[in-house]
């Protein structure tokens, strides 16, 4: 199965979605290389980056599910095919 390297950028503007966001990241944990979260207290948001090595369909699925959560915005960038 071919995999790709991708980075999902997440802006969390509402804490109501934290539980579901963490659940989704755990559900896809086998594909996660690493994650970093930065609270931006002055703006009341959290900035999260998730590095993944996964099939394109898996990356699209998690990015889409995350983006549908209330108060969550995502953007995915892909590495060049190797």
């Amino acid at each position: 199965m071919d995999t790709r390297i991708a980075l999902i950028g997440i802006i969390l503007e509402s804490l109501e979605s934290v539980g579901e966001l963490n659940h989704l990241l755990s559900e896809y944990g086998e594909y996660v290389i690493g994650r970093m979260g930065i609270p931006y207290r002055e703006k009341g948001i959290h900035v999260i980056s998730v590095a993944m090595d996964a099939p394109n369909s898996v990356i699209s699925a998690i990015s889409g599910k995350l983006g549908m959560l209330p108060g969550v915005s995502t953007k995915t960038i892909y590495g060049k095919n190797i």
Side-chain angles (χ1 to χ4, degrees):
M1 182 181 308
D2 289 337
T3 62
R4 294 186 72 185
I5 304 298
L7 179 67
I8 302 175
I10 303 166
I11 302 290
L12 177 64
E13 298 175 1
S14 170
L15 294 180
E16 76 178 90
S17 296
V18 168
E20 184 62 23
L21 185 144
N22 284 326
H23 173 76
L24 284 169
L25 292 177
S26 294
E27 185 179 324
Y28 290 90
E30 68 185 278
Y31 302 106
V32 174
I33 300 168
R35 72 186 259 193
M36 178 179 62
I38 303 169
Y40 191 3
R41 290 179 184 88
E42 292 82 11
K43 299 284 184 177
I45 64 172
H46 299 271
V47 180
I48 304 165
S49 61
V50 180
M52 301 187 74
D53 183 1
N56 201 44
S57 60
V58 170
I59 296 167
S60 295
I62 188 172
S63 182
K65 289 177 183 180
L66 289 169
M68 289 190 292
L69 296 175
V72 176
S73 300
T74 64
K75 186 71 173 181
T76 305
I77 58 172
Y78 295 88
K80 294 182 179 180
N81 291 332
I82 298 173

